[in-house]
Amino acid sequence: MKKMHFFKPASPSLTDALPPQSTPTSDLIPSPTRSTSIPHSVTRDPGLDMWPGGRSESFKPKFLRKLENYVHTELRALGVHDQPPNATRVQVFKSAFSKFADEFKSYSTFLYAVQNEYDSLLADYTDKLHSVPQIEAENLSLRIGAGQKIEDLKKEFAKEKKELLEKLNTQVKLQVQAVNEKRALENIVMELEFAGKIHKEKHDEMRSSTITLTNALVRLEDENAARALVENTQQSEVLRLKSALEKANAEADRLKHLTVDMEEQIAKLVPPQLMEEKEAHIHILRKEMSQMRASHRETMNKYETLNNAFTRAEENEDNSDDESSRPAISLTSNVIVSDLVNQIESLKARLREGKRHQDATREDSNIQGEGFQPQGNFFEGKGYTEDVPEFLRYFGPIRNWRLSKRECERAVNDVWIAKEEWAEENEDEPIHLSDFMYIYLREKYEDTQALIAEFGYNLIDALERYIDDSDCLIFLKILQGEFAEEVRDDQLHLLVEIPRVMEEEDCALHSGVPSGMLQIASFMRILKKLLNTKSEHSFNKLQKALQFEAKKGRMIAYNEIFEEDEDGNQGDFCELLRAQHLEEIIAYGRKLKQAIEDRAEKVGSDTLLISDLRDVIAHFDPDKGRGDINLYLARGVNCSIQEMVEKENNGEKVEIEEFILLLRDGLLKKSEAKAAGGGGGGGG
């Protein structure tokens, strides 16, 4: 057996040098319809014995005959010359192809590249053939499994078919039964329709009767409500008249005692003749005073004229070159000035003397332009020191007018109205009530300090006597600096807000038309929602006062309970509500102050960080929002909110005493309780 020659490895130079082909070349890759292998049905391929042009084998090149003999010899030696194509036969032809490539050196590289392409394709086909048994096994397994499933499904289908037939039979029986029942029901429905017509006729008759009765009941309820309202009004009028009668009796007793006191005082007064002499003397002094003032004005005019002349003379003296004239001019000017100064001092002395006489007689004269009657006793002025408000600065006795409550409230209202007008004229410029009182009284009494102080002392005396009234208490506390004006604004807002909310509820209950009346239970239910910071004890007191004003009725006139009578008094409910409002504000401010002082005592210092003050307020009033706390802190630090935040971030401390004092310049009030799942309300 000859030695077999195997293919040489393909040279990379050719495969790298060949350009990429866009389409496969049919001359290099055999098509399925054309085979290049030697037929296996004959010993020798007849094609090998032929030569182009029909020539005999003798015309073949020597090397070609050699290759053909090599192929025949190798196939016979391996025993595959008459077998179908297989790997052994392919190996023989590959060896012959290698010999052919080696013979033609110029084409060997290309021929080996072609051979490698065929080898790669064969290797790919071989790999795919190796996976065929596995695929066939899987296919067989799937076919077996599918057959089993088909059998199972057939059995299940037969079973379900049997069950469905049974159900179908049952449904047919039920349908027959349903048809029978339907016919029976139709008969019953016909009977019921007939009975329904009869009942409908009876229902229409009953409905008509019910509407008539309902209208009659509504009219009766309206009449009862109107009757109850009239009764309540009459009872209120009776109580008001009774109260007015008691006040009239008390006023009569007071006037009676006053008459006795005045008679006693008249007996102690000087004789009428002496009084007339005093009045004549006062009249003479007033004339002298007028003459002195006219003389003073004339003298001042002369002084201005001489002063101007003296000034011009000095200017002329400076511009003059004559040295000898200066002493004469200076001497003349000095004489004129000295004489003028003496005249002025004399006039001042006469004015002071006349003023002393006028002050001595003013205390016994009547107050002009005032409707208040003095009672005969006096206050003692507190002097002119800095700690005394300007409208109270006076030294000596001050007449006591003994103002009534109605007069006191009228004066308070006049001051508030004047202050609002002043704020509008001055673009809401902030001013304390005590400072405004002086401005108001100066304009009212034309800068006469005696009358200013007299009004001030009498107003404060009346405010202290009627301190149980909320209007008097608030005005006095604001005037003394214990309350900020925001306290009054907050209470006025409360007195307006409650009737407004009650009217909304009234409209909702009466189709948008308010009746002016609500049940006490409804009134209290709404009030508890509106004032959710009050204690249950406070609400119980308010409810008792409300029931007292309703005179044991179930309805309350929600607007009338906030109205004032002729003497400026309000009902028990309104007065109690306002008193509780002030008590809650006072208690809140006192407890907050105590909480701040406790924190300062705990750290052992008179100063605290702004952040510590924030924690104190937040812990003391958990429902207060951060914005409201910022307002408190900015007010206490006496700066804007932005500046306060910067100071807080810088770790600055503030004096506790000063902080508390500044904090009282605004409203201090407990914040409303937060609703479940909602935000907190502000407390002012």
Side-chain angles (χ1 to χ4, degrees):
M1 183 180 294
K2 294 183 180 180
K3 184 177 179 181
M4 295 179 63
H5 298 278
F6 296 95
F7 285 103
K8 294 182 180 180
S11 174
S13 62
L14 177 62
T15 57
D16 296 338
L18 288 174
Q21 298 185 10
S22 60
T23 59
T25 305
S26 61
D27 294 336
L28 298 178
I29 300 176
S31 65
T33 61
R34 191 175 77 180
S35 176
T36 58
S37 62
I38 300 174
H40 60 275
S41 60
V42 293
T43 304
R44 181 181 175 87
D45 188 354
L48 296 176
D49 298 332
M50 298 299 294
W51 187 249
R55 297 179 182 181
S56 64
E57 185 177 356
S58 60
F59 288 96
K60 293 181 179 181
K62 183 179 179 180
F63 182 68
L64 178 58
R65 291 197 299 271
K66 185 178 179 179
L67 285 176
E68 290 177 350
N69 291 332
Y70 170 76
V71 171
H72 287 298
T73 304
E74 290 295 322
L75 291 174
R76 284 184 176 277
L78 294 173
V80 292
H81 63 284
D82 57 352
Q83 293 184 3
N86 55 50
T88 303
R89 288 175 62 86
V90 171
Q91 189 64 37
V92 173
F93 281 97
K94 287 173 65 176
S95 180
F97 187 83
S98 297
K99 288 178 179 293
F100 178 78
D102 291 340
E103 181 67 20
F104 298 94
K105 302 295 184 181
S106 299
Y107 300 95
S108 62
T109 304
F110 174 74
L111 294 173
Y112 277 124
V114 173
Q115 182 182 2
N116 286 335
E117 289 296 323
Y118 276 98
D119 288 345
S120 299
L121 183 61
L122 289 173
D124 184 46
Y125 287 161
T126 303
D127 292 339
K128 290 181 179 179
L129 287 173
H130 288 164
S131 64
V132 168
Q134 181 180 358
I135 294 174
E136 290 178 348
E138 292 177 355
N139 187 23
L140 179 61
S141 176
L142 291 173
R143 289 175 63 187
I144 295 172
Q148 185 64 36
K149 286 185 178 179
I150 290 172
E151 291 297 329
D152 294 341
L153 289 173
K154 286 181 179 180
K155 293 179 181 179
E156 187 176 352
F157 175 72
K159 183 179 179 181
E160 290 182 356
K161 181 179 179 181
K162 183 179 179 181
E163 292 176 354
L164 289 173
L165 288 174
E166 292 176 355
K167 290 182 179 179
L168 181 60
N169 294 330
T170 304
Q171 291 295 330
V172 170
K173 293 178 181 179
L174 292 174
Q175 187 175 3
V176 173
Q177 184 179 355
V179 170
N180 296 331
E181 291 179 353
K182 180 182 178 182
R183 292 174 180 173
L185 288 174
E186 287 176 350
N187 296 329
I188 295 173
V189 167
M190 293 177 63
E191 295 176 357
L192 290 176
E193 286 178 352
F194 180 74
K197 291 180 180 179
I198 298 174
H199 286 298
K200 186 175 182 301
E201 294 175 356
K202 294 182 178 180
H203 171 71
D204 293 338
E205 294 177 359
M206 293 179 65
R207 182 181 179 185
S208 177
S209 302
T210 303
I211 292 173
T212 304
L213 291 173
T214 303
N215 293 333
L217 290 174
V218 170
R219 286 195 300 272
L220 287 175
E221 289 180 355
D222 293 340
E223 292 175 359
N224 290 334
R227 191 179 299 107
L229 180 61
V230 172
E231 291 177 356
N232 291 335
T233 305
Q234 292 176 349
Q235 291 177 357
S236 300
E237 185 67 16
V238 169
L239 291 175
R240 189 186 67 79
L241 293 174
K242 182 179 179 181
S243 176
L245 180 60
E246 292 176 353
K247 291 180 180 180
N249 293 332
E251 184 69 13
D253 293 337
R254 188 182 68 82
L255 291 174
K256 186 184 295 183
H257 295 303
L258 178 61
T259 303
V260 174
D261 294 338
M262 292 181 65
E263 290 176 354
E264 294 177 356
Q265 292 176 7
I266 290 172
K268 297 178 182 179
L269 292 176
V270 296
Q273 297 81 2
L274 183 59
M275 180 65 71
E276 292 177 358
E277 293 177 1
K278 291 286 186 181
E279 290 178 355
H281 182 62
I282 291 171
H283 183 67
I284 294 171
L285 290 175
R286 285 178 178 172
K287 287 184 177 181
E288 292 179 357
M289 181 68 70
S290 299
Q291 294 174 359
M292 290 171 63
R293 287 175 178 170
S295 177
H296 174 68
R297 285 194 296 270
E298 183 180 358
T299 305
M300 289 300 296
N301 293 332
K302 291 180 180 179
Y303 172 74
E304 291 292 336
T305 303
L306 292 173
N307 188 34
N308 293 333
F310 180 69
T311 303
R312 287 195 299 271
E314 286 183 343
E315 292 176 354
N316 294 331
E317 182 182 4
D318 293 336
N319 297 328
S320 177
D321 296 331
D322 188 2
E323 297 293 336
S324 61
S325 62
R326 291 180 182 177
I329 294 174
S330 178
L331 179 62
T332 304
S333 300
N334 291 335
V335 171
I336 293 172
V337 171
S338 298
D339 183 60
L340 188 60
V341 169
N342 291 332
Q343 291 183 22
I344 292 173
E345 291 297 330
S346 176
L347 286 173
K348 287 182 178 180
R350 292 174 64 188
L351 286 172
R352 284 195 295 269
E353 182 66 23
K355 188 175 185 301
R356 281 196 296 271
H357 285 290
Q358 186 177 8
D359 290 340
T361 58
R362 179 178 297 160
E363 291 182 358
D364 297 327
S365 64
N366 293 327
I367 301 172
Q368 299 178 358
E370 283 298 307
F372 304 126
Q373 296 297 325
Q375 300 300 313
N377 54 341
F378 297 88
F379 302 109
E380 187 65 29
K382 297 180 180 180
Y384 291 86
T385 57
E386 290 295 330
D387 59 334
V388 179
E390 286 185 286
F391 72 97
L392 294 178
R393 291 179 183 177
Y394 193 77
F395 185 79
I398 298 173
R399 191 182 304 276
N400 186 351
W401 298 346
R402 187 63 65 174
L403 296 176
S404 65
K405 184 174 183 295
R406 184 176 181 181
E407 293 168 336
C408 176
E409 290 192 344
R410 185 181 65 185
V412 168
N413 291 333
D414 290 343
V415 173
W416 284 127
I417 293 172
K419 191 173 185 300
E420 291 175 0
E421 293 175 351
W422 185 90
E424 292 178 359
E425 295 174 357
N426 294 272
E427 298 180 354
D428 293 329
E429 178 183 349
I431 184 173
H432 194 271
L433 182 60
S434 177
D435 298 330
F436 175 75
M437 278 291 294
Y438 184 64
I439 296 175
Y440 169 74
L441 295 177
R442 281 182 59 188
E443 182 178 354
K444 183 179 180 67
Y445 295 110
E446 300 178 352
D447 285 339
T448 305
Q449 184 63 27
L451 294 178
I452 293 173
E454 190 167 343
F455 181 90
Y457 279 92
N458 278 279
L459 180 60
I460 290 181
D461 172 68
L463 292 172
E464 291 175 347
R465 284 189 288 110
Y466 305 118
I467 200 170
D468 291 337
D469 183 84
S470 297
D471 290 322
C472 297
L473 175 61
I474 290 177
F475 190 89
L476 181 62
K477 293 292 184 182
I478 295 174
L479 192 63
Q480 294 174 345
E482 297 182 22
F483 278 175
E485 286 191 34
E486 285 85 349
V487 175
R488 174 177 178 266
D489 297 338
D490 187 68
Q491 187 171 103
L492 293 178
H493 172 74
L494 178 65
L495 298 180
V496 172
E497 183 70 9
I498 293 177
R500 186 190 67 79
V501 175
M502 298 304 169
E503 185 173 352
E504 289 181 356
E505 178 70 13
D506 189 11
C507 291
L509 294 175
H510 297 88
S511 302
V513 180
S515 65
M517 303 289 291
L518 275 179
Q519 289 188 359
I520 294 178
S522 300
F523 186 97
M524 292 303 300
R525 173 176 54 80
I526 299 170
L527 193 66
K528 288 182 179 181
K529 289 183 180 180
L530 188 62
L531 308 176
N532 56 18
T533 60
K534 283 187 177 294
S535 64
E536 193 65 29
H537 179 67
S538 298
F539 279 120
N540 290 336
K541 285 186 174 181
L542 290 173
Q543 185 168 358
K544 290 180 180 179
L546 202 63
Q547 290 172 344
F548 177 78
E549 292 200 26
K551 306 304 176 186
K552 298 182 180 180
R554 295 184 303 169
M555 308 294 289
I556 188 70
Y558 53 82
N559 282 320
E560 294 181 4
I561 58 176
F562 292 97
E563 295 177 354
E564 294 182 349
D565 59 15
E566 296 177 354
D567 295 327
N569 297 318
Q570 292 173 312
D572 294 339
F573 173 82
C574 185
E575 291 290 350
L576 179 59
L577 179 67
R578 298 181 68 181
Q580 287 184 359
H581 175 264
L582 296 179
E583 290 173 0
E584 290 164 0
I585 289 177
I586 294 172
Y588 182 88
R590 182 176 64 252
K591 292 179 181 178
L592 179 58
K593 175 186 175 184
Q594 186 62 45
I596 295 173
E597 292 176 346
D598 290 345
R599 175 63 69 89
E601 183 178 357
K602 184 177 180 181
V603 300
S605 175
D606 293 335
T607 61
L608 281 178
L609 292 170
I610 299 178
S611 57
D612 290 339
L613 292 168
R614 180 185 296 277
D615 293 339
V616 171
I617 298 174
H619 184 267
F620 175 74
D621 192 353
D623 294 321
K624 192 170 294 297
R626 182 175 179 83
D628 293 331
I629 296 177
N630 286 340
L631 289 175
Y632 279 18
L633 294 175
R635 187 196 305 164
V637 181
N638 196 21
C639 63
S640 65
I641 294 179
Q642 184 177 0
E643 293 173 346
M644 180 275 297
V645 173
E646 292 178 358
K647 291 182 179 181
E648 182 181 8
N649 295 333
N650 294 332
E652 293 189 19
K653 293 185 176 182
V654 295
E655 294 286 341
I656 296 303
E657 185 175 354
E658 183 180 0
F659 179 84
I660 294 174
L661 187 63
L662 292 172
L663 194 61
R664 291 166 53 185
D665 287 343
L667 177 63
L668 295 175
K669 182 182 176 184
K670 185 178 181 181
S671 297
E672 296 180 359
K674 296 178 181 178

